[in-house]
Amino acid sequence: MSTTTTQSGLARARRGLAPGGSGGGSVNRKSKLSGQTKRTFFWLLLPSIVLLILINGYPLIYAGVQATHDGSLIDTGNFVGVDNFATVLSSPAFWKAAQFTLWFTIVGVFGSWLVGLGLALLLRTKIPAGGTFKVLLLLPWVVPIVVSSTAWNWLVATPDSLIPSIFRNLGLGTPLFLADPHLAAVMVMVFKVWVSFPFMMMMISAALASVDTTVYEAASMDGASKWQQFTQITLPMIARSTYISWILMTIFCVNDFPTIYLLTGGGPVDATTSLVVLAYRSVFQDFQTGPGVAIAFLMTLTLVVVSVFLYRQIRKSSVE
């Protein structure tokens, strides 16, 4: 069967599940609300909007004041304008932390997504004790991070821990996973994937549950291979859920303090110091709130840019 025929079959299969498609999708009709109804909705929502502005606005304004002053936790200090931002952006420690945060986020987001996608596809098949297996896979996400980090420290922290002992018995030396800067960075990223993949697995499983299996049957009848079905049906159908999960996981990774601090404390030699750990040290250890809050503002700005980009991808992603 020709490639053109296969691609047209895949397109027909996707349209069968698309809103308004020829496969029986319902046509969305927009209902117009009267002016009175809109005003009623506005007055009903107004108290919640005001409350949200107060809850989020005051901390944001106060943080802006701290970022432009040279004070501490107990004293606002003198107004210095953007000097704190200039100090932060000219600091090698900031850029080192930013580089680690970038890699930590990339590995955390895409590593957990790939693992979650593979497990979600596996759980969609008929495997023995699938329900029990799924519950066990949720444990890394459900167990408190303090317990998980303690368990990982027990596994890798010292030369006599379980995993270094296994390496030593196999004649591969005794790796110091949390003492070597490069190994510590890798270990923190692997730990992040470990505690995050259940979230991705649940998001992808929910998206896959909405995909009708008949679309795959139609694609198979048109000669589509399993890989073609995966790339041209499965991935497009879960695209919106994927982008949403990427936005959320990006926010989780950039703002993740306990995963890093409980496992390595930001060491060794600042190899695993992320921006949020650096901000914490500046505020609560060095008692310099200005640079610490400035770091937090820069993190927030970066997250807003990334979130807006991914949100636009969500709006673009549709089954055609």
Side-chain angles (χ1 to χ4, degrees), residues 73-221:
L73 290 171
I74 59 176
D75 182 24
T76 304
N78 300 318
F79 180 77
V80 295
V82 296
D83 287 354
N84 288 322
F85 292 91
T87 300
V88 166
L89 292 174
S90 62
S91 171
F94 171 81
W95 292 108
K96 183 177 181 180
Q99 183 180 17
F100 173 75
T101 303
L102 176 63
W103 284 111
F104 179 76
T105 303
I106 291 174
V107 174
V109 172
F110 294 105
S112 60
W113 181 75
L114 289 173
V115 175
L117 176 62
L119 291 172
L121 292 173
L122 176 63
L123 291 172
R124 204 162 186 249
T125 61
K126 302 299 182 180
I127 61 174
T132 303
F133 186 50
K134 189 171 185 177
V135 171
L136 292 176
L137 289 174
L138 292 176
L139 288 179
W141 180 262
V142 176
V143 173
I145 190 65
V146 175
V147 178
S148 297
S149 61
T150 301
W152 276 65
N153 267 290
W154 177 78
L155 288 172
V156 301
T158 67
D160 294 327
S161 297
L162 179 61
I163 295 181
S165 298
I166 293 175
F167 273 78
R168 184 170 58 252
N169 293 332
L170 293 175
L172 301 176
T174 306
L176 303 177
F177 288 101
L178 300 185
D180 180 88
H182 298 291
L183 289 179
V186 171
M187 190 56 56
V188 168
M189 296 176 192
V190 172
F191 182 48
K192 182 60 181 177
V193 173
W194 164 257
V195 299
S196 301
F197 80 82
F199 170 78
M200 289 293 195
M201 181 185 70
M202 289 187 294
M203 292 283 290
I204 297 171
S205 295
L208 289 174
S210 64
V211 181
D212 194 347
T213 56
T214 57
V215 70
Y216 295 102
E217 297 174 1
S220 297
M221 293 179 62

Side-chain angles (χ1 to χ4, degrees), residues 5-64:
T5 304
T6 301
Q7 292 178 347
S8 62
L10 290 169
R12 288 196 305 272
R14 289 199 300 268
R15 285 197 300 270
L17 292 183
S22 58
S26 61
V27 179
N28 295 324
R29 297 179 179 178
K30 297 181 179 179
S31 59
K32 296 183 179 179
L33 298 177
S34 65
Q36 182 63 34
T37 304
K38 290 181 179 179
R39 286 191 294 270
T40 302
F41 283 164
F42 172 77
W43 289 112
L44 289 174
L45 290 174
L46 184 60
S48 299
I49 295 173
V50 172
L51 184 61
L52 286 174
I53 292 175
L54 291 176
I55 292 175
N56 295 284
Y58 173 75
L60 186 63
I61 294 173
Y62 187 67

Side-chain angles (χ1 to χ4, degrees), residues 223-246:
S225 64
K226 293 294 183 181
W227 177 251
Q228 288 175 318
Q229 293 178 33
F230 173 72
T231 56
Q232 300 186 41
I233 296 179
T234 302
L235 290 183
M237 294 299 295
I238 66 172
R240 290 177 179 246
S241 176
T242 295
Y243 289 128
I244 292 173
S245 65
W246 285 359

